[in-house]
Amino acid sequence: RMNLDEISCDKLATSIVFFFCLSDVSCNSVEQKIYVELNNTVPCVRLLNATHQIGCQSSISGDTGVIHVLESEADLEWPLSKGPNPPYMVLLESSLFTRSIMMKMKNESNRVAGVAVVVPNTSPPEFSPHTTCPNENTGVYSDNYGPNLAHCNTTVWNPRGNGLSYEEFDFPVFSLKEDNETEFIKQCYLDHNRAVNGSAPQYPLCAMQLFSHMHAVTNTPTCMRRNDINFSINPEMVCDPLGDYNVWGSIRPYNDTVFGHKENESVVIAAARLDSRAFFWEVSTGAEGSVSGFVTLLAAAQALREVTHEAPPTRNILFAFFQGETFDYIGSSRMVYDMENGKFVIDLDNIHSVLEIGQVAVHSGTNLFLHSDPVSRRNNTVNDEVKNLVNNLQSSTAGLSFLLVEPNVSQPLPPSSLQRFLRAQPIPGIVLADHESAFNNRYYESFYDNAANLNLTYPSDLSPEEQLEFVTDTAKSLTDVATVVARALYKQAGGNESLVNNIKADPKIVTQMLYGFLVSSNNSWFQAVMAPELKNILSRYGACVHPSPPEYYVGVAMSSTPTRLVQYLLANLTGAATNLTQSQCQKPDELPNESRQMYSYLWVQGIVPPNSTERDSFCVRASVRLTKAVSPAFELGEYASKDYSTWTESRWKFIKARIFLVASRDLEMLTLGVGVAVLFTSLLVTYFISTKADVLFSSTREPASAAY
Amino acid sequence: MTAAVFFGCAFIAFGPAFSLFIFTIAKDPLRVIILIAGAFFWLVSLLLSSLVWFIATKATNAQDLTLQKNLLIFGSIFSVILQEVFRFAYYRLLRKANEGLAAISEEDGPPLSVREMAYVAGLGFGIMSGAFSMINTLSDSLGPGTVGMFGDSQYYFITSALMTLALTMLHTFWGVVFFEGCERKRWWVIAVVLCVHLMVFSLSLLNPFYVGSILPVYAIMLLMAVWAFFSSGGSLHNITLLWTCRKSNTETSS
């Protein structure tokens, strides 16, 4: 709209702005004078389990507070007690994002409207918002099984953990990046909100409003019950269970329709986990926590491909990648449940042993450690098998720069998927990790667990494609670990001993995977191994954004990028390229030698050959499958289960943040007072004039009008 | 800026127009019709003038800010002229309609005098002009924020409401004076109204120097009020009559 009468200088400028944003969907020049929308923010959302809710909540119309940039912990006095204009929106640097400050603000939450954390590009010395004892109630150790080992009585795995991720805040907490928007916010604070010489700051004050209203409350049984209420045609869902898919592949294929125990089948399982989390929603890089493990396992799978074709071992090897392990072992508990109930291709009795790859990239010396469960090892059979596995592992390090050592003291297994297998049945297993007792990872399950945590550095003059190919030191060290794992698995599966020393993982593949999973997922190699219909998940938010790695949060949408990437990578690295055309690839059963039940057939994009623009797509045949990784608690309807993961994520309508100036209450009341006065005065005057109109306007030249 | 400011500004901007409507217009359906038709005429004049401005801006370089500003001023002047043209057109239409209404009415003579039509038409113009000035700003005043982040004055809402009030009343007075001038064939009245309208527009260009824009506009409004009072049949004698009537009423009652 344009009112040409009431133009003013500033309105001219806004009219010009209005013209510029005519192409926009909604554009209002007065609104733009008032509000500045913040675009690069990440909220903290609410998660619920059987008994608690964690995370953050805002009120339904957003929480507004006067901005206060916190300078130190002592400065907390201003927003919590001294400041004259509560509630405050506290802006924190990441060095002040500590448990004590957040807890103090939680206790005075009627004066705190919300918190905004500025996440810098460089990491602090250590920071882990996870608990000190991850997954302590859903592991294998409990009062019935190794009671002195339960609840981290012997070893505290994550001593740096401050548990912030598992606290409940009733104000919103958002994260901001260190960019122009944050500078603008700080400048607004300096201009308007600073107290001059001890006196209170003058209105108008700079304020921020955060919207992150979560629909679910209390705990999972409550929100699942509310999901089921059928009031209207469109039932309102309030929460969704966390979950995704597990990826598994095997050397010898299994018929995907035949479930349950297989006679005379003995399988060695090699496991790793796929997911991680952070305090804020979805922003999780999990470099040491999960990427190091599954990249090593993928490289080991690739290293085993040739030798298992030439000289297949006696036992089968099954590579399993579990999703949702951060949240009480969603993926592994589901697989164990499926095995127990005959819904998986093998059974718990078919498992010969388990080798799990934990966090393996941050070495604190030249040794890596082999963790095992002391309680199950009291049984002699299990103990012998574990010793055999340890031998196989230790002998595989011949010629490499590190040794594999068992920890000195008898300590429990670290948090790992193997614990869920042991809960069902005593199975010999080893967890390979770089830490002897407490984690070496200083940023466990935080947004700082990124490429820098692994010292993944590239020379600065390389283009993205050159960085993809550059073999970093981290890649070399992980390649050695993958070689050891591959050799040990081959020996454990009863393979030909003389061929073991030929098994070597490929550093080029490892470095390309590390680049793709930790620096930029939209690279040429990942594009080549993905399906055409999935290529858009490699780059978030469209094509022209600066490079970013995928997110490792398990989520609720069942479409997480790392799962798909690992599925296609495992297929490409362990499967075989075929000559099938695209339509044959979709219906391979029509061909004589191909069977969809034994293999999965994936059409992948392939590379772009030089001097051409078309991709060389082809069909990959691999024994790689996806199985659902949703907690058995939701299949059984036991939402208050103590045995299985019951984590759900709340739903919300919209999440946004904006800053603006707020006026003083006095000015507002003055405006209202003037308005009411004008209204009453005009009513009185008009009534008076209209009743006396015949006296006032008595011109006798025109005939008297009809009614007044 | 919250509900207090919303209601305060709404009452300031539309309070007088609302009370005028309730006490003088709402009871008579014919006046309501003339009011709404007047509003519609103003709307059409705005539409046509904004079309001209829109084409002009689209046809020129969007990046040249001084050119755009000058185009806006040119467009506004054109709109002022067009509003007065439409006011004249409405006057002619009402004169024609009055003859028809007189023919079909039950009493002798036209049901509405030209003076009343002038007042109602002016109020119609004023209400529509006020609505277009103020509604957008009012809807933004409901949120928690106020203007000022980018250097604007924090009194933006109040001053917008005050300007809107002045403009609504000014349109009413211009309507009265204009129609009276056309009746008496005093064409210089039209020119004066046009000049005063342009002067008010140029004063509004002085915003946010509110002292320089609002005070003169209110002074002009008072002058126009006096002129409209005299041209619609009032006189000093009537005022003194009113005063003595009241005095005598109070004397007799007490």
Side-chain angles (χ1 to χ4, degrees):
Chain A
R1 73 115 187 120
M2 186 187 66
N3 176 14
L4 296 174
D5 291 337
E6 285 218 60
I7 299 180
S8 58
C9 289
D10 51 328
K11 275 191 185 176
L12 276 175
T14 54
S15 308
I16 291 160
V17 172
F18 174 68
F19 165 76
F20 281 134
C21 45
L22 276 174
S23 55
D24 234 67
V25 174
S26 77
C27 201
N28 183 334
S29 33
V30 179
E31 198 177 354
Q32 283 175 337
K33 284 200 219 208
I34 305 179
Y35 302 107
V36 175
E37 299 280 336
L38 303 174
N39 291 325
N40 299 332
T41 56
V42 183
C44 129
V45 300
R46 173 173 278 174
L47 297 167
L48 307 100
N49 72 357
T51 48
H52 289 87
Q53 56 182 11
I54 65 173
C56 320
Q57 167 76 308
S58 84
S59 60
I60 195 159
S61 50
D63 282 313
T64 313
V66 173
I67 298 179
H68 179 73
V69 175
L70 204 67
E71 286 149 24
S72 64
E73 185 154 354
D75 196 22
L76 259 185
E77 263 194 332
W78 181 264
L80 295 187
S81 47
K82 273 182 14 190
N85 320 105
Y88 284 92
M89 186 71 68
V90 181
L91 197 77
L92 295 176
E93 298 291 331
S94 70
S95 55
L96 292 169
F97 187 48
T98 61
R99 188 180 172 86
S100 68
I101 290 183
M102 291 300 286
M103 286 296 125
K104 279 188 193 161
M105 287 199 283
K106 179 179 167 172
N107 288 336
E108 292 283 339
S109 63
N110 55 331
R111 279 184 66 106
V112 175
V115 176
V117 180
V118 181
V119 176
N121 295 329
T122 56
S123 311
E126 63 179 39
F127 178 76
S128 169
H130 209 79
T131 50
T132 49
C133 198
N135 291 345
E136 64 182 301
N137 293 320
T138 42
V140 68
Y141 301 106
S142 64
D143 296 332
N144 302 329
Y145 189 104
N148 54 323
L149 303 171
H151 304 297
C152 292
N153 276 335
T154 34
T155 321
V156 179
W157 296 112
N158 188 24
R160 301 174 186 93
N162 56 26
L164 274 179
S165 290
Y166 288 83
E167 290 289 334
E168 182 197 344
F169 297 103
D170 58 5
F171 47 77
V173 181
F174 275 54
S175 88
L176 306 168
K177 295 205 191 94
E178 241 179 20
D179 57 4
N180 288 341
E181 266 182 9
T182 315
E183 273 313 305
F184 184 78
I185 297 174
K186 289 186 185 162
Q187 190 59 42
C188 185
Y189 166 76
L190 290 171
D191 288 338
H192 294 102
N193 292 10
R194 294 278 263 189
V196 176
N197 289 342
S199 64
Q202 294 291 320
Y203 275 98
L205 295 175
C206 200
M208 192 186 316
Q209 187 176 32
L210 300 178
F211 294 83
S212 67
H213 179 71
M214 302 286 139
H215 293 329
V217 285
T218 323
N219 54 30
T220 296
T222 308
C223 86
M224 293 304 282
R225 185 189 74 227
R226 291 183 187 181
N227 274 350
D228 286 336
I229 296 177
N230 288 332
F231 271 154
S232 65
I233 306 174
N234 293 336
E236 281 275 320
M237 302 278 282
V238 293
C239 68
D240 301 290
L242 288 178
D244 195 56
Y245 291 96
N246 293 329
V247 181
W248 68 267
S250 55
I251 307 270
R252 288 201 303 264
Y254 285 114
N255 190 331
D256 199 32
T257 52
V258 178
F259 295 141
H261 185 78
K262 295 211 158 39
E263 283 299 323
N264 296 337
E265 184 79 16
S266 180
V267 181
V268 176
I269 294 190
R273 74 174 221 205
L274 280 178
D275 73 315
S276 73
R277 68 165 300 195
F279 181 81
F280 297 104
W281 182 58
E282 251 196 7
V283 175
S284 49
T285 40
E288 157 81 337
S290 50
V291 175
S292 62
F294 74 73
V295 163
T296 310
L297 191 57
L298 280 171
Q302 190 271 335
L304 280 173
R305 175 215 205 151
E306 260 187 52
V307 72
T308 50
H309 276 301
E310 290 172 11
T314 340
R315 302 189 184 97
N316 203 353
I317 304 177
L318 190 139
F319 302 101
F321 298 86
F322 296 116
Q323 264 284 12
E325 298 298 274
T326 321
F327 292 101
D328 289 336
Y329 307 118
I330 297 179
S332 52
S333 69
R334 180 55 185 261
M335 183 170 275
V336 170
Y337 173 81
D338 286 344
M339 285 182 183
E340 283 174 324
N341 292 297
K343 293 184 190 155
F344 193 63
V345 293
I346 56 170
D347 185 292
L348 285 169
D349 297 321
N350 290 121
I351 303 181
H352 175 260
S353 47
V354 175
L355 172 63
E356 179 167 344
I357 325 284
Q359 307 179 67
V360 290
V362 177
H363 301 236
S364 58
T366 52
N367 292 343
L368 290 178
F369 299 92
L370 307 173
H371 297 265
S372 56
D373 170 44
V375 176
S376 61
R377 282 179 83 170
R378 292 181 201 152
N379 178 323
N380 282 335
T381 347
V382 174
N383 193 25
D384 290 338
E385 205 41 70
V386 173
K387 281 197 197 154
N388 189 19
L389 181 49
V390 169
N391 265 340
N392 283 337
L393 279 161
Q394 286 174 333
S395 53
S396 306
T397 60
L400 294 172
S401 56
F402 60 90
L403 294 176
L404 293 176
V405 171
E406 287 193 78
N408 277 335
V409 293
S410 161
Q411 64 179 7
L413 279 176
S416 52
S417 316
L418 175 58
Q419 289 201 19
R420 292 301 302 199
F421 285 90
L422 285 172
R423 248 173 107 117
Q425 190 158 308
I427 296 177
I430 290 276
V431 176
L432 176 64
D434 55 26
H435 52 91
E436 183 170 6
S437 55
F439 293 156
N440 288 343
N441 189 356
R442 289 172 296 159
Y443 311 106
Y444 185 63
E445 310 288 25
S446 90
F447 34 85
Y448 298 116
D449 190 6
N450 49 20
N453 191 21
L454 299 188
N455 276 338
L456 199 68
T457 49
Y458 297 90
S460 44
D461 51 344
L462 295 183
S463 72
E465 281 306 308
E466 288 166 357
Q467 282 181 353
L468 176 67
E469 310 273 323
F470 181 79
V471 179
T472 54
D473 292 334
T474 322
K476 286 183 196 154
S477 115
L478 280 184
T479 312
D480 290 342
V481 179
T483 306
V484 168
V485 167
R487 290 179 183 172
L489 282 174
Y490 188 66
K491 281 188 270 187
Q492 186 74 1
N496 189 342
E497 290 277 341
S498 57
L499 296 174
V500 166
N501 285 336
N502 296 339
I503 302 176
K504 283 203 181 64
D506 187 353
K508 213 159 143 286
I509 290 188
V510 173
T511 196
Q512 283 179 321
M513 284 198 284
L514 283 177
Y515 181 80
F517 283 115
L518 293 175
V519 180
S520 164
S521 56
N522 192 12
N523 57 61
S524 56
W525 189 52
F526 275 15
Q527 289 279 357
V529 302
M530 282 300 272
E533 64 266 14
L534 292 174
K535 66 173 184 246
N536 288 330
I537 66 174
L538 293 178
S539 61
R540 282 180 295 154
Y541 317 130
C544 24
V545 186
H546 55 88
S548 58
E551 307 284 0
Y552 294 93
Y553 173 64
V554 60
V556 299
M558 307 288 273
S559 61
S560 111
T561 310
T563 313
R564 293 290 173 176
L565 272 172
V566 167
Q567 177 198 14
Y568 277 81
L569 278 173
L570 190 62
N572 273 284
L573 295 175
T574 60
T578 62
N579 289 335
L580 276 58
T581 63
Q582 187 166 8
S583 52
Q584 285 174 332
C585 200
Q586 283 165 348
K587 294 202 173 105
D589 291 316
E590 294 161 6
L591 296 167
N593 288 336
E594 314 286 0
S595 157
R596 241 228 184 111
Q597 293 173 342
M598 301 297 284
Y599 295 98
S600 61
Y601 293 83
L602 306 168
W603 184 255
V604 302
Q605 289 195 106
I607 56 173
V608 183
N611 303 338
S612 164
T613 50
E614 287 288 314
R615 287 194 176 268
D616 229 354
S617 303
F618 60 96
C619 186
V620 170
R621 176 186 62 215
S623 55
V624 169
R625 304 274 184 200
L626 294 177
T627 58
K628 221 161 138 193
V630 177
S631 170
F634 296 100
E635 298 291 312
L636 299 168
E638 291 170 10
Y639 303 129
S641 164
K642 291 194 178 51
D643 300 322
Y644 299 112
S645 161
T646 47
W647 285 104
T648 51
E649 182 190 87
S650 166
R651 284 204 185 185
W652 58 84
K653 280 267 160 59
F654 55 82
I655 288 188
K656 57 180 183 162
R658 56 186 184 179
I659 61 168
F660 44 84
L661 292 184
V662 284
S664 65
R665 199 97 184 107
D666 298 335
L667 183 60
E668 293 178 8
M669 286 304 144
L670 175 72
T671 313
L672 183 63
V674 169
V676 170
V678 164
L679 181 68
F680 274 128
T681 316
S682 62
L683 281 170
L684 281 171
V685 169
T686 312
Y687 177 71
F688 179 69
I689 292 184
S690 76
T691 47
K692 302 287 182 211
D694 46 350
V695 175
L696 279 173
F697 300 107
S698 66
S699 68
T700 51
R701 273 151 293 184
E702 298 210 52
S705 57
Y708 222 116
Chain B
M1 242 170 86
T2 66
V5 172
F6 172 78
F7 282 112
C9 289
F11 290 159
I12 293 177
F14 299 117
F18 174 71
S19 53
L20 282 172
F21 180 81
I22 287 188
F23 287 120
T24 60
I25 299 199
K27 291 188 209 137
D28 188 2
L30 197 54
R31 293 187 188 190
V32 173
I33 292 172
I34 295 181
L35 181 89
I36 298 198
F40 176 72
F41 266 70
W42 187 89
L43 206 53
V44 172
S45 82
L46 183 71
L47 180 68
L48 290 176
S49 51
S50 62
L51 207 64
V52 168
W53 171 82
F54 187 73
I55 293 175
T57 47
K58 284 292 191 194
T60 58
N61 180 15
Q63 310 295 328
D64 188 354
L65 291 181
T66 37
L67 176 64
Q68 295 299 323
K69 174 175 169 171
N70 291 337
L71 272 180
L72 202 54
I73 295 182
F74 154 72
S76 318
I77 296 178
F78 180 71
S79 168
V80 166
I81 297 173
L82 206 59
Q83 283 175 43
E84 300 306 329
V85 166
F86 269 71
R87 206 194 295 270
F88 183 71
Y90 196 41
Y91 164 74
R92 295 302 296 263
L93 180 71
L94 283 178
R95 285 294 276 150
K96 274 232 153 55
N98 218 12
E99 293 160 22
L101 282 171
I104 63 169
S105 92
E106 290 155 1
E107 303 123 12
D108 310 320
L112 237 62
S113 72
V114 176
R115 290 223 177 98
E116 285 157 7
M117 286 197 293
Y119 156 68
V120 174
L123 187 61
F125 268 50
I127 288 182
M128 201 41 136
S129 160
F132 261 68
S133 302
M134 201 59 199
I135 292 289
N136 224 2
T137 317
L138 268 185
S139 80
D140 285 319
S141 72
L142 263 180
T146 186
V147 176
M149 181 80 84
F150 297 104
D152 310 299
S153 158
Q154 57 165 328
Y155 300 108
Y156 181 84
F157 289 118
I158 285 195
T159 50
S160 297
L162 288 170
M163 275 298 265
T164 304
L165 166 61
L167 208 57
T168 307
M169 300 315 295
L170 275 171
H171 269 293
T172 313
F173 301 142
W174 284 332
V176 171
V177 163
F178 190 99
F179 277 36
E180 188 69 22
C182 289
E183 271 300 279
R184 303 289 170 81
K185 309 270 188 265
R186 292 179 193 162
W187 306 114
W188 56 269
V189 170
I190 300 180
V192 169
V193 166
L194 183 64
C195 288
V196 174
H197 198 160
L198 282 171
M199 190 172 7
V200 168
F201 154 68
S202 50
L203 280 174
S204 79
L205 283 174
L206 286 178
N207 283 337
F209 179 50
Y210 295 124
V211 175
S213 69
I214 294 202
L215 292 178
V217 166
Y218 270 76
I220 293 179
M221 182 178 91
L222 284 170
L223 288 173
M224 290 299 311
V226 169
W227 187 6
F229 175 69
F230 282 115
S231 90
S232 63
S235 60
L236 283 172
H237 173 70
N238 291 347
I239 296 182
T240 49
L241 209 65
L242 192 72
W243 185 248
T244 52
C245 254
R246 274 187 73 221
K247 263 194 84 175
S248 64
N249 274 346
T250 52
E251 276 172 9
T252 50
S253 60
S254 64

